[in-house]
Amino acid sequence: MTSGRDDWEERFAAGRGFRGVDAHELRLFRQAVRPRPGARVLDVGCGLGGYPAALAGLGCDTLAVDWTDAAVAATRDRYTDLEPRLRVQRLDFEDAAEVAARLPRASYDVVTMRLVLAFMADKAAVTETVRGLLAPGGMWVVTTPLAGRLPEERQRIGVTAEDVAVVTDGWERGHWYDLEPGGVRCFVLHA
């Protein structure tokens, strides 16, 4: 990630997250993904845990991962009532060897990345890691601001058109939807 781990640790330890998940976002997710009860979901970059908790609330068997101890602790503390449908662990998703050692290949029905892809340095490597984790017919759901829609001083939190091209290339099929006009975009990519 382009920002230092200490910065993220401090942010999450202070309880500062990002955009909260709401009923509208979950409705759009359900329409796009149609997750079955017990669907195996991996949420990458869980932050304070609101999104993976919502997915577990939909009946998904959700593993939430983050590279910071503070995010893992916050998610675990806030959502203990959702265990065992929601589990959380520390994992640096950009470390391919760590991912290979700790996550089973071809075993997730859905991999989600909400507001995290822009901070990952090698989008092509992340894409290939996700492909390897998806079960046949699985989906990758990427929720992200688009840099071109953001003021210049905030473009670092969005993905560029070039990033989108790298991430969306080579999937069986895919589509996208916006959470609101001119706002955050969700890409749904099918293996």
Side-chain angles (χ1 to χ4, degrees):
M1 291 187 142
T2 57
S3 185
R5 185 173 300 193
D6 290 343
D7 296 337
W8 290 105
E9 287 284 2
E10 183 180 309
R11 176 180 193 86
F12 294 133
R16 292 192 331 264
F18 295 99
R19 174 192 178 105
V21 63
D22 61 19
H24 172 70
E25 182 175 355
L26 288 178
R27 183 174 33 56
L28 292 173
F29 175 87
R30 280 194 312 271
Q31 290 171 350
V33 176
R34 301 193 187 286
R36 62 173 171 69
R40 296 159 301 174
V41 175
L42 172 66
D43 181 62
V44 178
C46 69
L48 298 178
Y51 192 65
L55 299 176
L58 294 176
C60 298
D61 177 18
T62 306
L63 173 61
V65 299
D66 201 285
W67 76 326
T68 67
D69 294 319
V72 169
T75 301
R76 194 172 282 140
D77 291 348
R78 290 173 181 211
Y79 301 106
T80 57
D81 59 320
L82 291 174
E83 292 176 357
R85 275 190 326 228
L86 175 61
R87 296 167 324 285
V88 62
Q89 64 181 255
R90 192 189 130 351
L91 176 76
D92 182 349
F93 199 77
E94 289 188 282
D95 183 335
E98 183 179 359
V99 171
R102 297 187 50 206
L103 298 178
R105 291 189 53 78
S107 61
Y108 295 96
D109 301 308
V110 181
V111 174
T112 60
M113 283 187 188
R114 185 175 183 272
L115 308 177
V116 68
L117 184 63
F119 300 104
M120 294 186 162
D122 188 341
K123 311 299 190 269
V126 167
T127 301
E128 289 312 306
T129 299
V130 170
R131 283 186 213 276
L133 293 172
L134 286 171
M139 289 176 257
W140 184 20
V141 180
V142 179
T143 305
T144 185
L146 300 176
R149 292 181 169 181
L150 297 169
E152 187 173 334
E153 67 275 4
R154 298 192 69 225
Q155 288 183 355
R156 74 189 186 306
I157 69 166
V159 295
T160 66
E162 294 81 15
D163 295 335
V164 170
V166 166
V167 167
T168 59
D169 185 46
W171 293 88
E172 181 70 26
R173 66 185 195 283
H175 66 280
W176 58 265
Y177 59 90
D178 287 333
L179 293 183
E180 70 274 332
V184 175
R185 179 157 290 171
C186 297
F187 296 92
V188 182
L189 306 168
H190 298 256

